[in-house]
Amino acid sequence: MAEPLTCSAGKSGPTLSVDAARLRAVAVAAPVAQTEVLPLDMACGRVLAAPVAAASALPPFDNSAMDGYALRLSDLAGAGPWELPVSQRIAAGDRSARSLAPGTAARIFTGAPIPEGADAVVMQENVTRRGDRIVLSAPSRPGQNIRRRGEDLALGAQALAAGVALTPPRLALLAGSGVPQVAVRRRVRVAILSTGNELAEPGHPLAPSQIYNSNRVMLRATLARLPWAETTDLGILPDDPQAIRAAIRAAAQGNDVVISSGGVSAGEADHILDALRAEAAELDVLKVAIRPGKPLTVGRLGGSLYFGLPGNPYAAAITFAQIARPALRKVAGLTEAPDAWLPAVAGFTYHRTTGRREYVPVTWARRDALGRPVLERLGQGASASLFPIACAMGIAVIPPDLSVIHPGQPLQVEVLGE
Ligand code: AMP
Ligand code: MG
């Protein structure tokens, strides 16, 4: 359940830690209720709406884990070596295996059904073949090289819990246990918009005082990587309260989440807050102790979740990743949180102002004796800078209270993907 929010828009509230702000954003988010049934082929990355039970035992029958010979251990009495005649041949997919005649072995291949009566498979490498007989000198133990029916997953056992994302291995598990389709939550509908009279799209000439829109493609591309989201791009809106108001009202009606960039600080030309207030949104202006990042607006607008990200691109990227994305994951129905940071050490010196958790673009070319990346800092921390983040291999997390970082200082780094 989303917590009711008091309208704190524009009021000065306490500064929240990044973790507290994230919790607040997640608390406002509610999972989409609708589900759809998809074949496995269409379901990669989607979020399971209900637990799934195995429709077939995995594996469905006792089978051989090796190419070799199936035998009865009771036939290996006394001291070896032992010699057994080969009474049948069983390949994967064979349906005609007979029960194993006492005192004989069956030639068997990986994945083939274990004949009734056999209780071990000896690897072919451990056997000498003499015509239609085998000789073995090492004893076997019961069940050796036999994959038992249901040992991976019993018939009817839970294969996956609700709220997990369907990764390729999880899809393989479902297929292996006979599940052809899954109920997943429908995709989260996200509308994005950029605000600013100064913005132009690349490909168009820049008028004096204009800049190119970086946030639009950044947010679009970020969302395009989330298989459980679909994006509507509302383009650039001018700094005009009426235009913004009409656009966000329409966006909130057809979407689960609306994300804007720019226009959320207290500057005169920052109309997002006015427009949201006029639309009677329940808002929280979060003063987050984060760098880069400005006040971040989180709230509910009609039935949808609203994120007003800062306009500066690096700040927009960081606040999206740290605060909006966890809330979006909850809307998607995900119950697992990724935990993809690595322990690292600083390879740089940095004197800084304390009080805010800082996200620093970093790269590394070597690791220390413990295997930790030795980080080099990129850029000077400017929230408008794009070049450092574009070159970064990861984002180092600087704790709020550290006033100086020396080489060797342990730090966490969040590794950026491709
Ligand atoms: P604002 O939050 O609207 O005050 O914008 C803060 C800074 O970010 C200003 O310098 C804007 O020009 C810049 N900015 C806003 N939106 C974008 C955008 N979509 N792409 C690049 N820069 C932007
Ligand atoms: Mg602006």
Side-chain angles (χ1 to χ4, degrees), residues 181-332:
Q181 56 188 29
V182 277
V184 297
R185 299 227 186 220
R186 78 150 164 76
R187 284 199 170 101
V188 177
R189 296 178 188 138
V190 186
I192 59 168
L193 57 108
S194 315
T195 69
N197 289 342
E198 74 278 32
L199 299 179
E201 287 300 333
H204 297 270
L206 280 184
S209 83
Q210 282 196 308
I211 60 167
Y212 285 123
N213 186 355
S214 291
N215 293 343
R216 177 184 182 175
V217 70
M218 179 176 68
L219 282 173
R220 248 184 109 138
T222 302
L223 290 163
R225 285 182 165 182
L226 304 176
W228 41 261
E230 61 190 31
T231 308
T232 303
D233 183 352
L234 303 178
I236 299 172
L237 293 183
D239 288 317
D240 166 51
Q242 290 315 317
I244 292 176
R245 198 178 154 181
I248 63 175
R249 183 195 307 143
Q253 277 163 7
N255 292 282
D256 305 301
V257 183
V258 180
I259 303 177
S260 61
S261 79
V264 285
S265 58
E268 260 176 39
D270 293 323
H271 301 298
I272 288 282
L273 284 179
D274 290 341
L276 285 165
R277 279 196 209 100
E279 287 300 309
E282 295 175 84
L283 289 183
D284 232 0
V285 177
L286 302 180
K287 289 210 297 183
V288 187
I290 187 171
R291 188 182 156 157
K294 269 189 183 180
L296 172 77
T297 300
V298 179
R300 294 209 69 94
L301 175 61
S304 79
L305 185 61
Y306 194 94
F307 285 100
L309 304 180
N312 278 312
Y314 185 43
I318 291 295
T319 49
F320 176 83
Q322 297 300 323
I323 294 166
R325 190 170 51 197
L328 255 70
R329 292 175 60 86
K330 182 170 171 199
V331 179

Side-chain angles (χ1 to χ4, degrees), residues 113-167:
I114 301 294
E116 209 184 302
D119 50 12
V121 170
V122 182
M123 283 168 69
Q124 62 190 21
E125 291 82 350
N126 295 341
V127 161
T128 310
R129 180 99 194 210
R130 290 210 187 118
D132 61 355
R133 304 177 75 80
I134 56 166
V135 179
L136 64 154
S137 39
S140 297
R141 45 177 181 76
Q144 190 163 25
N145 297 322
I146 295 179
R147 303 190 283 219
R148 293 290 179 198
R149 169 186 160 84
E151 73 175 21
D152 209 353
L153 202 58
L155 173 66
Q158 180 173 300
L160 294 173
V164 304
L166 291 166
T167 58

Side-chain angles (χ1 to χ4, degrees), residues 64-141:
S64 179
M66 293 285 171
D67 291 343
Y69 295 86
L71 44 77
R72 293 173 196 266
L73 292 175
S74 57
D75 289 333
L76 307 184
W82 303 275
E83 191 168 332
L84 295 170
V86 177
S87 57
Q88 62 177 315
R89 180 183 185 279
I90 313 169
D94 278 359
R95 299 176 183 192
S96 53
R98 292 164 277 119
S99 68
L100 184 65
T104 74
R107 177 71 168 125
I108 196 163
F109 297 94
T110 305
I114 301 294
E116 209 184 302
D119 50 12
V121 170
V122 182
M123 283 168 69
Q124 62 190 21
E125 291 82 350
N126 295 341
V127 161
T128 310
R129 180 99 194 210
R130 290 210 187 118
D132 61 355
R133 304 177 75 80
I134 56 166
V135 179
L136 64 154
S137 39
S140 297
R141 45 177 181 76

